[in-house]
Amino acid sequence: MFPSHSFAPLKIRGRTLLPVVQGGMGVGISAHRLAGSVAREGAVGTIASIDLRHHHDDLIEMCRADPQHETLERANLIALAREIEAARKLSGGNGMIAVNVMKAVRAHADYVRVACENGADAIVMGAGLPLDLPDMTQGFDVALIPILSDSRGVALVLKKWIKKGRLPDAIVIEHPAHAGGHLGVTNIDDMADPRFEFDRVLAELEAVYASLGLSRDDVPLIVAGGINSHEAVRRWLGAGANGVQVGTPFAVTEEGDAHPNFKRVLADAKPEDIVEFVSVTGLPARAVRTPWLTRYLRNESRVRVKLGPLKLPCTTKLECLSVCGLRDGIEKFGQFCIDTRLAAALRGDVANGLFFRGREALPFGTAIRSVRDLLELLLTGVARPAVARRAAFSLG
């Protein structure tokens, strides 16, 4: 039984949950072990759908034997199905198992279909406006949760979905100035725009909801970005949010699915180590300045001039993104293979990986603690003494 706390529960599609959502983090950073562990405590655990084959040796071997696009896609869909099943088993029927699907991923409709067919409780979609998500999930009893950043985007999605006869089961409001990974703006300079401030968005959405005849019970709001303490949770739930979404602090938990080196990079990063840059998706991104990223940023202008105008074959044959700066010859986008770099980070390859991270300090500083310890600290303010635990890591 989770310790008592003073906050109202988060209610999504008839389920009563802890008011904390674990953010989806790819490639493979939030897979079945993290998502299942979070759900087991009564919260929303999230599997990031893209390229989960890296957690399955047989699927990696299948791809090595036949490194064609169709084989890689099939392997990733098989991996997603396996991860959902394993997370559901680990959760013991508690909480919710969500699957995060990036709209910017070319195979996003396939990931949504496989998630629904294999019993995911929710689909969370960001990195683009998920206007057609209700169409993709027709016939499935699954919660739909778009990720947006301002009241204008929320209003657009609400109006479009209402015409389709469907409401979001919740909406995540992500602040691009604080979140990790890909950020919900088209320009780095826009990240500090006041329209993204949670207070402003929550206030503006009161009017939007009223104009549409909706209440917060109909579509709960979950704020994401910079939530790193009990005080932050208390502030935003007190300001009217129904829940908070937390990413980086979950990535470094004992149950997190990445290599221990990945967790150390994130936990040990100082504020000056965290940088923003333009990803191959064309979206701004935030990560730790590790050796590869330092080299890339130092040479970025020269690489863009040399490679930017060229259309190159996908180096992995995965063709993961709908639009890729490196593959499609878009000079103003990033010029690197994001799948290769994120997979290296998952393996703990500090020299060559891309390590996405939020900006704020972590709740336990540089310490690696359990999912339960993190949830208890966020919701009660109590930090229990650390106890020795056997390492939970296994990439197989």
Side-chain angles (χ1 to χ4, degrees), residues 265-383:
V265 167
L266 269 61
D268 293 342
K270 299 177 176 61
E272 61 268 24
D273 298 328
I274 301 167
V275 296
E276 291 87 32
F277 59 98
V278 178
S279 171
V280 294
T281 61
L283 297 171
R286 181 172 289 118
V288 180
R289 190 192 292 272
T290 46
W292 171 80
L293 186 53
T294 298
R295 291 195 306 273
Y296 172 75
L297 293 177
R298 185 172 60 238
N299 297 305
E300 183 179 33
S301 297
R302 183 171 57 83
V303 171
R304 282 184 172 180
V305 170
K306 182 177 180 180
L307 298 179
L310 302 177
K311 292 188 176 182
L312 303 172
C314 177
T315 56
T316 65
K317 298 209 169 97
L318 180 58
E319 304 282 351
C320 59
L321 297 172
S322 301
V323 179
C324 170
L326 182 64
R327 182 195 65 208
D328 299 333
I330 306 173
E331 189 172 346
K332 66 180 181 178
F333 286 14
Q335 301 293 319
F336 57 90
C337 175
I338 193 167
D339 184 74
T340 299
R341 296 301 170 185
L342 291 177
L346 173 68
R347 296 192 304 270
D349 184 348
V350 177
N352 297 298
L354 172 58
F355 294 75
F356 283 151
R357 188 198 190 283
R359 176 183 287 174
E360 271 67 31
L362 296 174
F364 291 108
T366 61
I368 307 300
R369 299 286 292 268
S370 72
V371 160
R372 187 178 180 87
D373 287 348
L374 174 59
L375 284 168
E376 187 169 358
L377 177 61
L378 291 174
L379 292 174
T380 72
V382 174

Side-chain angles (χ1 to χ4, degrees), residues 18-30:
L18 295 177
V20 177
V21 175
Q22 168 245 313
M25 298 165 284
V27 165
I29 305 305
S30 60

Side-chain angles (χ1 to χ4, degrees), residues 30-31 35 73-74 78 84 90 101 161 166 180 188 212 256 290 318 345 352 365 382-383 386:
S30 60
E73 279 294 346
R74 186 167 72 255
I78 293 170
I84 295 169
L90 182 57
V101 180
W161 283 30
R166 179 69 195 260
I188 288 177
L212 297 173
T290 46
L318 180 58
N352 297 298
V382 174

